Amino acid sequence: MSGARKRLIVGISGASGIVYGVRALEMARALDVETHLVVSRAGAMTLSQETDLSLADLKAMADEVHGINDVGASIASGSFRTLGMIVAPCSVRTFSEIATGVTSSLLTRAADVTLKERRPLVLMVRESPLHLGHLRSLAALAEMGASIVPPVPAFYTRPQSVAEIVDQSVGRALDLFGLDWGGTRRWQGMEPQ
């Protein structure tokens, strides 16, 4: 993608934690990264339960919005060059479809294409607890090259709010695409005792 504006696919599925996808869009915009958004039906429902944003508000945060059933969209093809894809949040259904390669929507098709093209696929898995079948699917995804990035709080940053916890998690996820959001707090080592 030399010379072209960097592109990132942002998938939002129906797991709790839609704020991670919202912040990924906001941070990408701050970094001047072109975003391609695809939201599952359950993701749209979760948006109304967890935020005061409308679906139109969410879509306005992206440079391009693709319909969940539009398997002819640009992001469904490996020839459409991107940095990769983040799914934030990522539900069990979504990662299970990606793990099997039996994709039923543009969201999971785009993730499958990302893997086949050997581009970073970052899955912010937001389900718990996980049974053995879930863990096997996640292990298979890791073997295929996906990064499994549950949004686990980094308490060494001494967060003062939920927003700071979210920002740190999303900032670290964006690191996996080589994107350095300036607000991500970095470990500097321990002070000598």
Side-chain angles (χ1 to χ4, degrees), residues 92 95-96 99 123 125 127-144 148 150:
V92 166
F95 75 66
S96 296
L123 305 176
V125 176
E127 304 263 3
S128 179
L130 300 169
H131 62 60
L132 184 58
H134 299 150
L135 295 170
R136 285 185 175 144
S137 292
L138 291 171
L141 284 163
E143 289 168 347
M144 288 182 240
I148 313 304

Side-chain angles (χ1 to χ4, degrees), residues 156 185-193:
Y156 69 85
R185 298 193 51 197
R186 310 286 176 190
W187 178 251
Q188 301 299 319
M190 294 182 68
E191 295 288 325
Q193 300 294 322

Side-chain angles (χ1 to χ4, degrees), residues 74-102:
S74 57
I75 62 174
S77 173
S79 66
F80 185 74
R81 298 184 66 194
T82 68
L83 293 174
M85 180 175 185
I86 184 169
V87 182
C90 184
S91 67
V92 166
R93 177 183 177 156
T94 298
F95 75 66
S96 296
E97 281 191 24
I98 300 165
T100 63
V102 181

